[in-house]
Amino acid sequence: MDRNLFIDCIKKFGGEISEEKLNHFDIYSSLLVEWNEKMNLTAITDPEGISVRHFADSVSPLFYHEFKENAKIIDVGTGAGFPGFPIKILRPDLEITLMDSLNKRINFLKEVREKTGISNVECVHARAEEFSRKPEYREKYDIGVSRAVANLRVLSEYVIPFIKIGGYFIAMKAMDIEEEVNDAKEKIKALGGEIQEIKTIEIPNSDVLRKLVIIKKINKTDNKYPSRKIK
């Protein structure tokens, strides 16, 4: 990780970061590079790329949406922990569940958790369409986040069942999403959600533009969702 570059990104977002949190990001970065040599976690392994395109990008929602103190967050399809783990490092008060369908990635995240000593991080090997039917997880979260590559229609059916009424799903998407959003509106409504806002943000020290699709959960999700075969 490039510490100075990452500190500058946080400053440009209007935030600040402690030495302890920087140390946690250093450990995360080192483990990411180390594990990436034996399994495919990311194509981005240079210090600048990790600092900006992974860490700064991941924490960006914290500066554009309210994350209430001690809120419960779930990151669905977390992969190498993005965006959930960086969000947790920057906001230790949050209670985070990191979910992925590949156990190797979950093992990696457990080691990051162990080496950083960060508590209240649950690393779950599961498929969202099965796990969201468990009573202890269904509609229990204040905010769901995802930087997964699935289209918004599919992603919404994965994530919205986890969100409690009054909570939010923040989908981190690339720029050209107008058609994707229009295609997803009907499904989002059926799941009990409503698109509140789409924010365009710039990731500092990069050419990355990000769309945050902010969906509010306004009604209970019908028990028929998620479907057995999500489309």
Side-chain angles (χ1 to χ4, degrees):
M1 181 180 82
D2 186 324
R3 272 189 165 219
N4 291 332
L5 186 63
F6 185 52
I7 291 168
D8 189 59
C9 288
I10 298 298
K11 283 181 178 176
K12 286 175 177 173
F13 278 138
E16 55 187 32
I17 184 166
S18 68
E19 183 68 20
E20 182 184 23
K21 291 173 184 176
L22 283 169
N23 289 338
H24 288 154
F25 277 109
D26 277 333
I27 293 167
Y28 192 175
S29 176
S30 297
L31 288 170
L32 183 67
V33 173
E34 179 188 323
W35 275 65
N36 203 63
E37 292 176 0
K38 51 189 175 184
M39 62 178 285
N40 183 27
L41 285 169
T42 176
I44 298 169
T45 56
D46 61 290
E48 296 81 9
I50 290 173
S51 302
V52 176
R53 294 177 180 270
H54 281 327
F55 292 166
D57 184 27
S58 290
V59 301
S60 61
L62 290 171
F63 301 97
Y64 293 90
H65 184 81
E66 182 185 9
F67 283 65
K68 291 182 179 177
E69 193 171 354
N70 301 317
K72 284 190 71 171
I73 316 295
I74 187 165
D75 177 4
V76 177
T78 188
F82 307 125
F85 220 129
I87 285 173
K88 170 65 179 178
I89 294 173
L90 210 57
R91 282 283 306 275
D93 61 287
L94 300 174
E95 187 178 328
I96 300 269
T97 298
L98 304 173
M99 180 177 296
D100 199 86
S101 60
L102 192 63
N103 199 39
K104 287 181 180 179
R105 295 185 190 131
I106 293 301
N107 288 336
F108 162 70
L109 294 172
K110 286 178 178 177
E111 179 157 351
V112 177
R113 179 181 63 187
E114 182 186 341
K115 293 288 174 65
T116 56
I118 293 173
S119 58
N120 280 336
V121 180
E122 183 181 19
C123 303
V124 178
H125 172 225
R127 300 183 67 84
E129 59 269 36
E130 296 166 1
F131 222 66
S132 65
R133 293 194 171 277
K134 291 180 178 285
E136 63 268 36
Y137 289 92
R138 191 174 182 88
E139 299 190 321
K140 299 297 184 188
Y141 291 88
D142 299 294
I143 296 177
V145 292
S146 189
R147 205 178 71 156
V149 293
N151 71 58
L152 187 61
R153 180 186 172 91
V154 169
L155 209 50
S156 295
E157 194 163 351
Y158 284 144
V159 182
I160 291 176
F162 287 105
I163 310 304
K164 61 177 68 169
I165 293 174
Y168 292 87
F169 168 34
I170 303 174
M172 301 176 69
K173 305 295 291 183
M175 281 300 292
D176 301 322
I177 58 163
E178 190 172 329
E179 186 178 336
E180 189 178 331
V181 168
N182 287 334
D183 182 56
K185 279 181 179 175
E186 191 177 322
K187 175 57 68 72
I188 289 168
K189 185 177 180 182
L191 291 161
E194 179 181 81
I195 296 176
Q196 269 217 329
E197 196 174 0
I198 300 175
K199 294 183 177 181
T200 303
I201 66 173
E202 295 181 18
I203 305 304
N205 301 317
S206 76
D207 58 357
V208 177
L209 290 173
R210 173 70 72 191
K211 292 276 191 183
L212 299 183
V213 183
I214 299 172
I215 298 166
K216 186 171 185 179
K217 180 80 169 274
I218 56 174
N219 293 308
K220 191 175 176 64
T221 301
D222 192 290
N223 286 332
K224 68 181 180 183
Y225 295 115
S227 313
R228 288 188 178 274
K229 291 185 178 179
I230 296 176
K231 297 180 180 178

